[in-house]
Every structure is written in C-alpha cells, then in structure tokens.
C-alpha cells in the first residue's frame, strides 16, 4: 500500500473523541527503527507513513502480524493494536543454482529419483511455490512433495531406462511456478549425464529420523549416528555422507555431519527462540564410477530452556515531580518481555522494597507506576525505585532496573523557632542600638520557601509603639534596643516577633519575647533626715546632763534602686570622741555611750556616711555639729522611731507623695493652732521603758522637735509605712513634749494635757 493510505479509523473503532484528540499526546511504537504508521489527530485515522515489505518485517511463512502499543495521554489510555500484513505476489520463485548437473548411471532403473534443489519464494500462502514443471522428456519426469512446513520439494524421476550410447546427455529445464495471480515463475537448467553402471544405491536404515534436543546444548554434542549400506563391493560400497541442497544454510551452521561416519553433532548455538525445528536432508553417496546415493530426512525438535533473562523497558517516565503530587498519579510506564515460551516466558514485575509507590498491571506486558502515599521532600528528597522482573522458569531468571524520582519543593512548612518563649535580660542604662539577642527560626523548605523575614508585631504600651522601643533585622532576626532603659521607670516588656517565609502563599509563626530590665546601682542614697540645706551642717544643742543611751539624732537615707542595691548602712566618717557616741549601722540612730564629763569638749562634730549595697557602692554624707549647754531644759518623752525599708519602691514613692501632700496640710493647721494656744505649766512626764525623757527649754524644744519639719517628715514616713496614722498637734507653751505612736489596730488616741505638742494616732 502506498504512503498515506488509510489502514483504519481508530477514533471510530476505539470510540475516541476526535475533537479533543488534537490536544492530547499520541504515541505509537516504532518497529525495527522505522515508523511505518502514524495517527491523524484531526480525523483519528491510522495511515501508512512508510511502505511495508512483509518479507523484511516478518521472517516467516505464516500470516504476519505487527503488535503495537497506542498510548494516549491526558488522561492516559493504552490500546494494543495487532496489524495483519497481507502478502501480495511481488516475488518470483528462484533456484539457488541456475545450473544443476546430475550423473545418472545407465543402469538406473525406471522410477529412480534424483534430488533437485527446490525453488525459493519469499511470498507466503498462495503466493509461494505451488508446483514444478519439467520440459518435455521421454525419460524423465518430476515428483513433487511437501515438507512439514508446506514447502514444495521436487525430485527428478527416471521413467524410462537410459542408454548412454543412445544419448549421453539430457538437457532439461525445471520451472517453479507460484500460486499468485498472475502467477510468477523461475527456471533452472538440469544437465543429466548418463554414467556407466554402478547399479546399487546406498540405503539408510530409516527414511525419516526424529529426535529431541535441548537448546544451548554444548558444541560437539552428538545428535545422531546415521547408518547407510550399499550392496556393492569395493569402491562402489564406500559411502560419503553429506547434506543435500534441501538442507538450509541456517541448519548447516548449527549442525555438522561427519562425511565418513555419518555422525551429526552440534556445531553452533541452538536457540529455541530463533528456530524451533531443524530439518536436515542427508545423502549417502558411494564411490563407484557412477556414484549412487541414498537419502534420509532428520528432524530435530528443539526443547525450550529458561535461558533468556526477562527485560524491562521504560516507555515513559516523569523523574521530577512536586512533593504534593496527588496520590494515584502515574510516574512511569514500564514494559516487560521475555523471549522464552510457556512458563519460562511468563514474567512478574515488583519493587524490591516498600516505597510510597505501587505497580498497576494494565496489560500482560505493561505496568503503570503510581503514587500510593503522600510524599514529603523534607523527609526523603528523592527515591531510587528498583524494579525487579522475574520469570516463572525453573530456576527463575530475573533482571532489574532503577528509576530515580526527584521531588520538587513546595511551601508546606511554616518557620519554627527553637523556643516558644524567650526571656531576655537587659541591663538598664544600655546604649541605644545595642544587640539584645538573635532570634532565628528554621524552615526545612528550599529556595524562596525558606527565605525568612522577621518583624515585630505592633503593640502599644502607654501610647508608645513597640517599634519605637525595639528593632529587629528582617534578614537575620537580630533584636536591637532603640533607647536607653531605666529600671526605675520600666521593668519589663512583653511582645511578639513573627517569622514569615517567601513562599506562595507565605507561611509564618510567631514567638513571645519577654524583656526584663535588670537594675544597676545608678542612684546615690538621699539623706532625708536630719534636714539641712545643700552642703550645710546640721546644728543641734543638747544638755551636758544627758544620760547614757540617750537618742541624740537619727540619720535616715533612701535609695530608689532595687531592694538589693537600696539597702543602706550607716557609719561614722568622723567622730570627735569615739567613746562618747555610737551609731547603729542599720537604723542610723546616734546615741550617747556615756555621760558627759568636764573634760569633754563643748562642741562635738559628727560626719555620718550612708552607703548602699550596690557594686560599686554609692554613698552620701551628713555633718552634725552638737553643742552642749548647762541650762536646764524642759524634759520630753521620746518614743523610739521605728523605720523599715519598703521592698517595693513604687509603693514607697506613692506613699511618700501622698504623705508630703498630707504633711503640708497638717503643718499649716498645726502652725495656726500653736500660734493661738497659751502656754500651760509643765508637769513631770512619767518615765516608761520605751521612752527617754530629756528636759529642754521651749526654745530648744521648738527648734529641735517642733520646728524641725525634716524630723517630723521622717517620723511620718516611718510610722505610716507600719500602718499607723501620725498627726502632730500643738499644746500650750511651757509644757513638756510627749511624742507617742499608737498602732491603727488599737483605735486609741493618746494625748497629754501638759504637752506643748501631741502626736495623735488614729485608726
């Protein structure tokens, strides 16, 4: 058939949609490296691309079929096509030799046969050789017979006895005619030379020999020993064995014949897949003047052995896929084959280990490799899939093929921080722009899917945005402080940082960051009692008759640092007489260690240093100048002041601010009352265990206790912090002073009618 000829309409036969066929990929197998057929995507017709010669495509004398796989993708469909090639009579019969010479003894009997080479016609069926014709002869005719494969063989038959003296040479023409329409023919010249008498031809034990042999039998293996006999004697009985012209060249390549003994042995490699039956035509010829011969046929049936390994052919492969490829997607089309027959040719295809893939058998010799489970590139980036094909022979043979599938990354993993909560200590007084910490998240994805950007999630604290306090490097997650922090103003910050990748769509996660400001010893203690102007001395007057253990003064200092750094201790920096005064290092009370003597100086100078507990320690000093007087003083009752340092600086500041405001109001009221009251006679104040009574005149008392606002301020703070309410009220002049403090829980108010000023404590 000519190129372009339509063989069949596949769209109609396979019920395909012609309109959508042009959008799909269609593949058709290539046979013997040539593409003989193709599919018209517009009409769905199967048409001829290259002329086909049946004789070259099919080396057989039977019907020729081409088996093709038609693969249509999107979606995948596979069709098996068998194309039968019908033979036409395009080849004429021909003989291997155009000239055939025969020596025939004149003693040959009528009916004796002489082997002639058969004609060969590559066509099959009715187009092959059907008959032979011999040119007109009164002595000879032809005898036509068929072989096991249908081949026509011809013998020259003597019909009438020959007479060499009458005619020594007979020239005949043998014509081979095929069965085609019109018939074709081929001729060969037969030269018959009449020889003188050797009238006994060799004879074989059997006319036909049959035997079985296994393929791959070693070279030299004896197949059969032929035996022929000749009744003649002498040279006419010496036989020589040879293959006749009926024996194909292929057969003669596989077997050897010992011309002297008639032994047939294996010479080549016998392969069942190449040829299953061998036919050998053997002739035994004597050595007479006119050699006579006898013929036999030896048929060897080859037994199949499992000697061919199964083969794997990758017909289609996607070796790079996305890691989120749907389950059930086709990765590859795998073909298997085995040249053996029977169980030896049956094959099975498996994977050598458990993988997220499965083999689906779509036909006897075609498998689909499918995705059976979800894939994850971060767990396994690529798969080496070893396919193992095994036949059912005994022993079985196998082969393998490895397919490598690479997974492409998709953005399926959100960034992850190593911790869910970060606590970062930061010392106060830090430099702006200082690196606080590096918060790095990890993303197991690749390329842009793992490129991370960091930023602070906005949050306002007291109308201040977090982005004004902190900054984060968007590329590496380094966290910086944008300002200097003060522990006494702000102690901690709590906010979130988010890490976001660059995938599409982007994925993100966040982490909580807790910034803790660490206190530094950056505040110097402040002396609030005794009160004095900046850089000035505190001057006090005391009677020389002061008893041992009398409270002379009390130094009170405060520190706004944290508890550890704000612990105050007191020491004498200078002391005129170390034997006369003592200083309590914890509460700052200065007391007499003995009574004054006439040798003691009238002026005593004390320098007290208040030092905090920081590292390095900070300090403040106060200078107290004491002057002793002989004048009898009005006595007063002293109640020791209790002082306790609050651990919570914030509460202390709130109470202090409230107290200052309250003290200002009370001071104004007390001053007005004192101005309006009259002085009353003083009475001796009863002594008690917790009080020390010292007499002073009204002038000293006013300057030391009544008018000393710093003293009252420190007293007020100390008592208020212990849960007591302190009020200073004036009493008539000239009376003694009683300073009393009563807890709130008592609900009592203590006053003295002889006191010039009474400290009232109410619940």
């Amino acid at each position: 058939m000519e190129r372009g000829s339509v063989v069949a309409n596949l769209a109609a036969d396979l019920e395909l949609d012609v309109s959508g066929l042009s959008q799909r990929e269609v593949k058709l197998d290539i046979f013997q490296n040539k593409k003989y057929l193709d599919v018209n995507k517009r009409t769905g017709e199967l048409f001829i691309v290259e002329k086909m010669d049946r004789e070259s495509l099919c080396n057989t004398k039977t019907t020729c079929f081409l088996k093709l796989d038609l693969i249509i993708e999107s979606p995948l469909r596979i069709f098996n096509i068998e194309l039968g090639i019908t033979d036409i009579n395009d080849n004429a019969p021909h003989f291997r030799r155009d000239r055939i010479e025969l020596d025939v003894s004149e003693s040959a009997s009528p009916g004796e046969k002489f082997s002639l080479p058969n004609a060969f016609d590559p066509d099959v069926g009715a187009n092959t050789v059907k008959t032979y014709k011999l040119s007109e002869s009164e002595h000879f005719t032809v005898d036509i017979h068929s072989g096991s494969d249908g081949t026509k063989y011809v013998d020259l038959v003597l019909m009438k006895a020959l007479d060499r003296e009458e005619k020594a040479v007979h020239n005949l023409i043998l014509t081979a005619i095929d069965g085609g329409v019109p018939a074709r023919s081929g001729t060969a010249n037969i030269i018959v030379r009449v020889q003188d008498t050797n009238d006994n031809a060799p004879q074989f034990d059997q006319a036909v020999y049959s035997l079985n042999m296994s393929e791959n039998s070693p070279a030299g293996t004896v197949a059969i020993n032929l035996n022929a006999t000749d009744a003649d004697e002498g040279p006419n009985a010496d036989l020589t064995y040879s293959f006749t012209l009926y024996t194909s060249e292929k057969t003669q390549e596989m077997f050897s014949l010992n011309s002297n003994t008639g032994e047939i042995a294996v010479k080549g490699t016998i392969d069942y897949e190449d040829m299953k039956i061998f036919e050998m035509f053997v002739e035994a010829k004597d050595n007479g003047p006119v050699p006579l011969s006898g013929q036999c046929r030896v048929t060897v049936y080859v037994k199949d052995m499992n000697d061919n390994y199964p083969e794997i052919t990758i017909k289609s492969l996607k070796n790079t896929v996305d890691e989120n490829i749907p389950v059930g997607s086709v990765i590859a089309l795998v073909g298997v084959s085995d040249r053996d027959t029977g169980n030896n040719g049956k094959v099975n295809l498996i994977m050598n280990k458990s993988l997220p893939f499965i083999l689906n058998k779509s036909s006897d010799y075609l498998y689909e490799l499918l995705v059976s489970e979800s894939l994850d590139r971060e767990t396994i980036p690529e798969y080496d899939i070893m396919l193992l094909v095994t036949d059912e022979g005994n022993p079985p043979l196998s082969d393998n093929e490895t397919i490598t599938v690479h997974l492409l990354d998709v953005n399926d993993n959100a960034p992850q921080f190593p911790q869910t909560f970060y606590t970062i200590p930061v010392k106060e007084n830090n430099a702006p722009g200082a690196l606080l910490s590096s918060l790095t998240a990890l993303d197991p994805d690749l390329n842009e899917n793992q490129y991370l950007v960091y930023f602070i999630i906005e949050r306002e604290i007291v109308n201040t945005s977090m982005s004004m306090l902190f900054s984060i490097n968007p590329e590496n997650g380094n966290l910086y402080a944008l300002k200097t922090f003060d522990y006494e103003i702000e102690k901690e910050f709590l906010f979130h940082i988010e890490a976001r990748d660059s995938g599409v769509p982007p994925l993100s996660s966040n982490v909580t960051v807790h910034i803790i400001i660490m206190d530094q010893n950056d505040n110097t203690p402040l002396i609030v009692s005794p009160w004095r102007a900046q850089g000035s001395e505190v001057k006090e007057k005391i009677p020389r008759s002061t008893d041992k253990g009398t409270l002379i003064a009390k130094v009170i200092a405060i520190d706004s640092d944290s508890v550890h750094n704000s612990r105050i201790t007191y020491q004498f920096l200078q002391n005129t007489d170390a034997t006369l005064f003592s200083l309590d290092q914890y509460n700052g009370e200065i007391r007499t260690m003995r009574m004054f003597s006439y040798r003691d100086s009238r002026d005593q100078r004390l320098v007290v240093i208040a030092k905090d507990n920081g590292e390095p320690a900070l300090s403040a000093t106060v200078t107290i100048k004491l002057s002793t007087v002989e004048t009898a003083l009005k006595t007063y009752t002293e109640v020791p002041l209790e002082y306790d340092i609050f651990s919570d600086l914030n509460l202390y500041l709130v109470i202090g601010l409230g107290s200052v405001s309250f003290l200002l109001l009370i001071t104004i009221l007390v001053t007005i009352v004192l101005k309006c009251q009259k002085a009353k006679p003083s009475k001796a104040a009863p002594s008690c265990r917790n009080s020390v009574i010292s007499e002073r005149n009204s002038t000293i008392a006013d300057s030391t206790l009544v008018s000393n606002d710093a003293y009252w301020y420190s007293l007020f703070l100390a008592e208020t912090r212990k849960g007591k309410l302190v009020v200073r009220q004036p009493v008539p002049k000239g009376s003694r002073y009683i300073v009393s403090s009563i807890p709130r829980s008592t609900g009592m108010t203590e006053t003295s009618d002889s006191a010039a000023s009474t400290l009232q404590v109410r619940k």
Side-chain angles (χ1 to χ4, degrees):
M1 296 178 69
E2 296 295 330
R3 294 182 180 88
S5 301
V6 175
V7 177
N9 192 318
L10 296 181
D13 295 343
L14 304 179
E15 298 181 358
L16 299 175
D17 183 10
V18 177
S19 61
L21 193 61
S22 61
Q23 305 298 324
R24 303 167 67 181
E25 185 175 356
V26 179
K27 295 181 180 179
L28 199 62
D29 280 357
I30 297 175
F31 193 78
Q32 293 185 354
N33 297 324
K34 286 187 179 181
K35 188 172 184 180
Y36 291 97
L37 300 168
D38 203 349
V39 178
N40 189 327
K41 294 184 179 181
R42 183 174 55 83
T43 62
E45 294 175 336
L46 182 67
F47 65 95
I48 294 176
V49 177
E50 182 76 19
K51 271 191 174 184
M52 291 177 284
D53 185 5
R54 188 204 64 79
E55 286 73 27
S56 62
L57 292 176
C58 302
N59 186 17
T60 177
K61 292 186 178 182
T62 60
T63 304
C64 177
F65 285 94
L66 293 183
K67 295 184 178 181
L68 306 173
D69 287 335
L70 176 64
I71 303 174
I72 303 176
E73 298 185 353
S74 302
L76 179 65
R77 298 187 66 184
I78 303 171
F79 302 94
N80 303 118
I81 300 175
E82 290 187 357
L83 181 67
I85 302 177
T86 305
D87 183 51
I88 63 172
N89 191 25
D90 58 345
N91 293 282
H94 65 276
F95 292 89
R96 290 189 178 91
R97 293 187 299 176
D98 295 332
R99 180 184 175 89
I100 304 171
E101 296 181 357
L102 294 176
D103 293 330
V104 180
S105 175
E106 64 176 345
S107 61
S109 302
E112 187 173 347
K113 296 181 179 180
F114 304 94
S115 298
L116 297 176
N118 62 310
F120 175 76
D121 191 339
D123 294 327
V124 296
N127 297 324
T128 191
V129 176
K130 290 299 181 182
T131 187
Y132 293 89
K133 289 183 180 182
L134 189 65
S135 60
E136 185 176 354
S137 174
E138 63 177 337
H139 292 280
F140 296 95
T141 187
V142 290
D143 179 26
I144 303 170
H145 56 275
S146 300
S148 61
D149 59 351
T151 303
K152 300 293 184 180
Y153 300 101
V154 61
D155 292 333
L156 185 65
V157 181
L158 181 64
M159 296 188 301
K160 182 180 178 181
L162 299 173
D163 186 0
R164 188 196 61 81
E165 290 71 26
E166 180 180 346
K167 191 175 184 178
V169 177
H170 296 265
N171 294 313
L172 305 174
I173 297 176
L174 180 63
T175 303
I177 304 171
D178 63 24
V181 178
R184 293 176 180 267
S185 63
T187 60
N189 294 322
I190 301 175
I191 310 299
V192 180
R193 294 188 296 264
V194 181
Q195 301 293 323
D196 200 12
T197 183
N198 177 24
D199 54 355
N200 288 293
Q203 296 291 324
F204 285 93
D205 296 340
Q206 298 174 216
V208 177
Y209 295 88
S210 297
L211 61 123
N212 297 319
M213 287 198 72
S214 298
E215 65 172 330
N216 301 321
S217 295
T221 302
V222 177
I224 191 172
N225 285 308
L226 299 177
N227 182 37
T229 59
D230 193 319
D232 294 326
E233 293 181 350
N236 293 330
D238 294 336
L239 303 181
T240 301
Y241 297 91
S242 63
F243 289 119
T244 70
L245 298 176
Y246 299 151
T247 304
S248 67
E249 295 179 0
K250 178 69 174 178
T251 302
Q252 294 185 46
E253 291 174 358
M254 294 297 160
F255 295 93
S256 64
L257 174 61
N258 190 313
S259 61
N260 297 321
T261 63
E263 179 185 88
I264 298 177
V266 176
K267 182 172 65 173
T269 301
I270 301 175
D271 191 350
Y272 175 87
E273 287 70 38
D274 288 342
M275 188 172 290
K276 300 175 177 60
I277 300 175
F278 292 93
E279 282 191 333
M280 292 170 281
F281 296 88
V282 181
E283 179 183 69
K285 184 182 291 187
D286 62 27
N287 292 326
V290 180
L292 299 180
S293 63
Q295 297 178 353
C296 72
R297 184 177 67 189
V298 179
T299 303
V300 178
Y301 296 95
V302 180
K303 181 182 178 182
D304 183 36
M305 302 295 291
N306 190 26
D307 61 336
N308 289 283
Y309 284 85
E311 297 179 353
I312 297 176
T313 304
I314 306 300
K315 295 184 176 295
S316 177
L317 173 63
K318 296 178 181 177
N319 55 7
T320 302
V321 297
D322 291 336
E323 63 175 316
N324 62 346
I325 183 173
V327 174
S329 299
V330 178
I331 298 296
L333 291 177
V334 184
V336 293
S337 61
D338 194 318
R339 296 180 60 200
D340 293 322
T341 60
N343 288 337
N344 296 333
K346 295 180 180 179
V347 294
N348 296 302
L349 184 66
I350 61 172
M351 292 186 293
N352 70 325
K353 61 182 178 180
S354 178
L355 293 172
F357 302 94
I358 191 172
L359 287 169
N360 178 41
K361 189 174 183 180
S362 59
S363 66
D364 289 342
Y365 298 100
L366 191 64
Y367 290 79
E368 296 174 333
L369 181 63
L370 308 175
V371 178
S372 61
E373 300 175 15
S374 298
L375 307 179
D376 186 5
R377 187 207 62 79
E378 288 71 35
T379 303
I380 302 178
E382 69 177 25
Y383 291 91
D384 290 326
I385 307 170
M386 179 179 287
L387 302 176
L388 182 65
V389 60
T390 307
D391 61 26
E392 297 183 7
N394 188 19
L397 300 178
S398 62
D399 194 10
N400 63 76
E401 182 77 20
T402 300
I403 297 175
T404 300
V405 177
H406 301 274
L407 301 185
L408 297 178
D409 184 54
V410 297
N411 192 27
D412 58 346
N413 291 279
Q416 294 294 328
F417 287 92
Q419 301 172 218
T420 58
F421 190 91
Y422 286 87
T423 300
I424 303 174
V426 178
K427 293 182 179 180
E428 66 171 332
N429 303 318
N430 59 289
L435 176 65
L436 304 183
S437 180
S438 182
L439 309 177
T440 304
L442 301 176
D443 193 321
D445 291 324
L446 293 178
N447 302 325
E448 67 275 1
N449 295 331
Q450 70 170 175
Y451 297 151
L452 304 183
V453 177
Y454 302 87
F455 55 90
I456 298 174
I457 299 178
E458 285 297 337
R459 179 187 175 191
E460 290 190 357
I461 299 179
V462 193
N463 297 325
T464 301
S465 173
M466 279 296 168
S467 60
M468 299 176 64
L469 302 176
F470 302 96
S471 173
I472 190 168
N473 189 316
E475 296 180 356
N476 56 28
N478 287 344
L479 184 64
Y480 300 92
L482 297 181
K483 60 167 287 186
T484 300
F485 297 110
D486 188 352
Y487 174 82
E488 286 72 37
I489 298 176
E490 50 224 352
K491 293 181 173 57
E492 63 180 6
F493 300 95
L494 192 67
F495 56 92
H496 299 282
I497 290 178
E498 180 175 313
R500 180 180 300 167
D501 61 29
S502 302
V504 178
L507 301 177
S508 63
S509 64
N510 58 62
V511 67
T512 302
V513 178
H514 185 200
I515 303 293
I516 298 177
I517 307 302
M518 307 297 291
D519 182 46
Q520 299 293 300
N521 190 28
D522 58 344
N523 289 283
T524 303
L526 175 63
I527 297 177
V528 298
S529 178
W531 176 256
R532 87 280 188 202
Q534 183 67 28
S536 62
E537 295 180 344
V538 177
K539 295 182 180 181
E540 296 285 351
K541 293 182 180 181
I542 58 174
R544 292 186 65 84
S545 60
T546 300
D547 294 333
K548 175 184 178 182
T550 301
L551 177 64
I552 302 302
K554 182 169 184 177
V555 179
I556 299 176
I558 60 175
D559 193 318
S560 58
D561 286 324
S562 63
V563 175
H564 177 78
N565 293 326
S566 64
R567 293 175 183 172
I568 306 297
T569 56
Y570 303 91
Q571 294 177 353
F572 278 130
L573 193 59
Q574 292 182 13
N575 188 354
T576 304
D577 189 344
T579 64
L580 187 57
F581 301 101
S582 67
L583 172 63
D584 191 305
Q585 65 174 339
Y586 297 111
N587 59 24
E589 292 181 353
I590 301 175
R591 296 180 180 271
T592 56
M593 297 175 61
R594 59 179 175 80
M595 296 186 66
F596 286 93
S597 66
Y598 67 93
R599 293 190 183 93
D600 293 326
S601 173
R602 292 185 177 275
D603 295 322
Q604 300 288 334
R605 189 172 182 271
L606 306 177
V607 179
V608 179
I609 182 171
K611 185 184 300 183
D612 61 23
N613 196 38
E615 184 64 35
L618 301 178
S619 62
T621 60
V622 61
T623 301
I624 303 175
K625 187 175 182 181
L626 300 177
S627 300
T628 57
V629 295
E630 299 294 343
T631 307
L633 301 174
K634 305 291 182 178
T635 62
Y636 67 92
T637 301
E638 170 201 341
V639 178
L641 297 177
E642 298 182 19
Y643 182 72
D644 186 18
I645 301 296
F646 265 143
S647 61
D648 192 336
L649 180 60
N650 290 334
L651 182 59
Y652 177 83
L653 293 174
V654 171
I655 295 176
L657 292 174
S659 301
V660 170
S661 301
F662 182 74
L663 179 61
L664 179 61
L665 179 61
I666 295 300
T667 303
I668 294 173
L669 295 176
V670 170
T671 303
I672 296 173
V673 171
L674 289 176
K675 294 294 184 179
C676 296
Q677 284 185 340
K678 294 180 179 180
K680 293 184 179 180
S682 62
K683 297 182 180 180
S687 61
C688 65
R689 183 180 59 182
N690 295 327
S691 63
V692 178
I693 302 175
S694 300
E695 294 206 4
R696 301 182 180 182
N697 57 28
S698 59
T699 303
I700 296 177
D702 287 343
S703 62
T704 304
L705 296 177
V706 177
S707 300
N708 196 336
D709 290 339
Y711 178 81
W712 282 102
Y713 172 64
S714 59
L715 175 63
F716 175 80
L717 291 180
E719 295 299 323
T720 303
R721 290 171 59 188
K722 293 189 294 181
K724 301 173 182 179
L725 181 61
V726 181
V727 179
R728 188 177 70 173
Q729 290 184 349
V731 294
K733 275 189 174 183
S735 300
R736 290 174 297 176
Y737 289 79
I738 300 176
V739 180
S740 62
S741 175
I742 300 175
R744 288 176 180 265
S745 59
T746 60
M748 298 173 59
T749 300
E750 182 179 310
T751 59
S752 173
D753 54 359
S754 63
S757 178
T758 303
L759 183 66
Q760 294 185 344
V761 182
R762 293 188 178 90
K763 184 176 179 180

